């Protein structure tokens, strides 16, 4: 069975996410993919090239999905919620070492920072749209809120302090608390409708 370049990228990035980048060697990737290391190097010059491709591959779907949502008649709050639901359908949980190791790969770090900057700008644009729609409070400093949203999307496993709760429950609680804090009464009604529809419990 011949494995595709895209499949190799996915295998490699799954390992980087799960174990951290430094702990995963090209030998590990080749072995998991069922190919020789020589074949792997025919596709990719080095581990950083694989890492950059993995970051691109992972972010492209979500970015395109967000762009499509922005074209709809949904309010900014609806867009946030729908984007979050898409994010949580198949969440990629990152080992904390991933972000520490990323600093040692300059090309990948630059690309990741550019990706985060683009996401932050998308959030700010969406927040401004929400103010015009009357669903977000205009007195909120949304530059700060956008930076908080950027950090939240890292999707690191919650710490052991939250072990009694599922990852979904932790992130749902954070999202709902976050949205309620920045919404007008009109926006809160949209959030409450979502909570009722999804039957999200234990969120006061």
């Amino acid at each position: 069975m011949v494995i595709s370049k895209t499949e190799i990228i996915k295998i490699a990035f799954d390992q980087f996410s799960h174990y951290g980048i430094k702990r995963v060697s090209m030998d590990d990737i080749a072995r998991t993919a069922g190919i020789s290391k020589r074949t792997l190097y025919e596709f990719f010059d080095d581990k950083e090239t694989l890492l950059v491709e993995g970051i691109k591959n992972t972010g492209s779907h979500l970015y395109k999905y967000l762009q499509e949502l922005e074209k709809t008649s949904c309010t900014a709050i609806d867009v946030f919620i729908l984007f979050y639901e898409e994010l949580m359908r198949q969440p990629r949980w990152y080992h904390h070492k991933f972000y520490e190791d990323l600093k040692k790969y300059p090309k990948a770090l630059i690309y990741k920072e550019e990706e985060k900057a683009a996401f932050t700008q998308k959030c700010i644009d969406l927040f401004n749209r929400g103010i015009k729609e009357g669903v977000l409070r205009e007195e909120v400093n949304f530059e700060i809120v956008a930076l908080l949203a950027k950090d939240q999307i890292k999707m690191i496993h919650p710490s052991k302090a939250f072990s009694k709760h599922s990852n979904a429950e932790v992130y749902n609680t954070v999202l709902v608390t976050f949205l309620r804090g920045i919404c007008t009464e009109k926006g809160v009604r949209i959030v409450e409708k979502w909570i009722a529809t999804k039957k999200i419990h234990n969120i006061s």
Side-chain angles (χ1 to χ4, degrees):
M1 181 179 174
V2 179
I3 191 168
S4 70
K5 184 177 180 179
T6 302
E7 288 172 321
I8 296 172
I9 293 170
K10 184 180 182 303
I11 288 169
F13 203 69
D14 282 345
Q15 291 189 307
F16 294 148
S17 303
H18 190 70
Y19 300 108
I21 305 162
K22 190 176 179 181
R23 284 183 59 187
V24 179
S25 68
M26 293 295 270
D27 284 307
D28 294 328
I29 295 166
R31 185 167 51 252
T32 305
I35 58 176
S36 68
K37 195 161 132 180
R38 179 179 176 180
T39 301
L40 182 60
Y41 277 108
E42 287 176 0
F43 281 109
F44 307 98
D45 292 336
D46 51 33
K47 185 162 73 170
E48 185 165 23
T49 303
L50 249 176
L51 177 59
V52 171
E53 290 298 321
I55 293 171
K56 288 180 179 179
N57 187 60
T58 303
S60 62
H61 165 71
L62 287 172
Y63 194 77
K64 287 176 183 176
Y65 184 73
L66 181 56
Q67 286 182 312
E68 289 303 312
L69 288 177
E70 289 178 310
K71 297 174 185 177
T72 68
S73 58
C74 294
T75 68
I77 298 300
D78 291 308
V79 171
F80 277 120
I81 290 172
L82 290 169
F83 179 75
Y84 171 76
E85 288 184 335
E86 182 66 19
L87 189 67
M88 293 299 287
R89 280 191 179 94
Q90 292 183 320
R92 177 178 291 280
W93 299 104
Y94 290 89
H95 192 286
H96 71 277
K97 286 289 292 177
F98 176 89
Y99 289 101
E100 293 177 22
D101 294 345
L102 188 61
K103 299 172 186 176
K104 300 168 186 174
Y105 297 87
K107 292 178 184 177
L109 182 61
I110 288 171
Y111 186 85
K112 190 65 176 176
E113 289 301 317
E114 290 175 348
E115 183 185 72
K116 288 194 293 185
F119 176 76
T120 301
Q121 187 56 54
K122 281 283 182 188
C123 285
I124 291 173
D125 293 343
L126 203 53
F127 290 139
N128 288 330
R129 171 177 161 181
I131 291 172
K132 292 176 181 177
E133 293 169 340
V135 295
L136 295 178
R137 295 163 52 192
E138 60 182 65
E139 72 272 17
V140 175
N141 186 331
F142 283 107
E143 286 189 19
I144 294 175
V145 174
L147 292 173
L148 290 172
K150 179 192 72 175
D151 282 343
Q152 184 64 27
I153 205 171
K154 285 181 177 179
M155 300 298 287
I156 295 176
H157 272 293
S159 71
K160 292 181 180 178
F162 300 97
S163 59
K164 291 182 180 180
H165 310 281
S166 68
N167 292 336
E169 185 179 354
V170 172
Y171 273 85
N172 285 346
T173 301
V174 171
L175 178 71
V176 170
T177 304
F178 166 77
L179 289 179
R180 280 175 172 161
I182 64 174
C183 281
T184 61
E185 289 185 12
K186 180 180 176 181
V188 168
R189 286 196 294 272
I190 297 172
V191 176
E192 296 296 338
K193 184 178 178 180
W194 176 65
I195 293 172
T197 302
K198 295 299 176 182
K199 296 182 173 59
I200 297 175
H201 303 296
N202 301 320
I203 299 178
S204 56

